[in-house]
Amino acid sequence: MNALIKICGLSTPETLAAALDAGADMVGFVRFPKSPRHVTLDLGHRLSLQAKGRARRVVLLVDPGDEDIAQAVEAINPDLIQLHGSETPERVAEIRAIVRRPVMKALGVAEKRDLEALASYATGSDHIVLDAKPPRTADALPGGNGISFDWKLLNGLDPALPIMLSGGLNPDNVAEAIRLTSPRAVDVSSGVESGPGLKDSRKIEAFIKAARTAFAAQS
């Protein structure tokens, strides 16, 4: 399986074009009103059409109800669903059965014991996004907080697990992160922004170039 690069939280045609032109494998659209990267169903629909056939489209949802899922799938028609809340393994499997398309589940990591849940999610998830556990503040988001966890915690993980590394990645550290953890994929959002929710085309291009070079060095 080829290593994958995902740019998440895209919300303008211009920055989406930058990600597509730079060769992103996946592009993510956030459906979470508290996030500065949130897109309406109408905007998500238009961005999805722009990306169709050029990258795999991902819609990010946080503890969605069935109606939330149905609306996002109808409007955005994503290739994958990303679940970034407190969804249980059973709920992940249920959503996967409902949408009949691949699902990725995000897990927050701060210490070694946070990885104990991996096995229970692995059977029902096509990708497991390992993100830094959000800080315990009222304004913290489930993801996209620009913080990383200790990548050495991943030493000894089963290489067969479909791990996507996230959390605090940026153009300057993604190569080192890949070297240390050998993930199947990497995911970035705030690390390619000039401000909350404001994607920077040059940072997107630099991130993809650095990640692609690092992945190639491991092959």
Side-chain angles (χ1 to χ4, degrees):
M1 175 175 151
N2 293 330
L4 303 172
I5 301 170
K6 175 171 172 279
I7 308 296
C8 196
L10 292 157
S11 58
T12 69
E14 294 77 17
T15 53
L16 173 57
L20 295 171
D21 291 344
D25 301 292
M26 294 181 176
V27 290
F29 311 119
V30 174
R31 286 284 300 157
F32 185 58
K34 293 181 180 179
S35 171
R37 305 164 187 96
H38 173 71
V39 297
T40 63
L41 292 173
D42 179 64
L43 176 56
H45 173 76
R46 287 184 278 118
L47 293 174
S48 179
L49 288 178
Q50 181 181 344
K52 185 176 181 180
R54 298 189 63 190
R56 299 177 76 187
R57 301 158 298 173
V58 182
V59 63
L60 185 154
L61 304 171
V62 179
D63 295 312
D66 290 353
E67 183 61 25
D68 299 321
I69 298 167
Q71 290 179 351
V73 168
E74 180 178 3
I76 300 173
N77 188 27
D79 299 296
L80 299 94
I81 304 289
Q82 180 171 340
L83 300 171
H84 218 101
S86 57
E87 301 89 1
T88 65
E90 293 75 21
R91 179 59 173 159
V92 172
E94 180 181 44
I95 291 172
R96 193 181 188 210
I98 290 172
V99 299
R100 297 182 181 180
R101 60 194 76 195
V103 170
M104 55 175 65
K105 175 69 180 94
L107 297 178
V109 179
E111 52 190 356
K112 193 71 173 180
R113 65 180 180 180
D114 292 324
L115 299 172
E116 294 173 0
L118 274 173
S120 61
Y121 282 101
T123 56
S125 305
D126 298 273
H127 299 275
I128 300 175
V129 182
L130 296 183
D131 197 356
K133 186 172 284 188
R136 295 181 180 178
T137 58
D139 59 347
L141 299 170
N145 293 297
I147 56 176
S148 60
F149 61 92
D150 183 359
W151 299 322
K152 293 178 182 178
L153 293 174
L154 305 187
N155 289 344
L157 277 188
D158 182 353
L161 289 170
I163 297 301
M164 176 178 281
L165 184 65
S166 187
L169 298 179
N170 59 55
D172 296 324
N173 67 13
V174 66
E176 179 69 0
I178 291 170
R179 186 186 69 79
L180 287 174
T181 64
S182 300
R184 293 191 181 186
V186 290
D187 180 22
V188 68
S189 186
S190 61
V192 291
E193 293 179 346
S194 57
L198 302 175
K199 290 291 185 287
D200 184 308
S201 296
R202 288 175 297 179
K203 290 183 179 181
I204 290 172
E205 294 165 5
F207 181 90
I208 292 174
K209 181 178 180 180
R212 195 70 73 199
T213 299
F215 278 130
Q218 290 193 328
S219 61

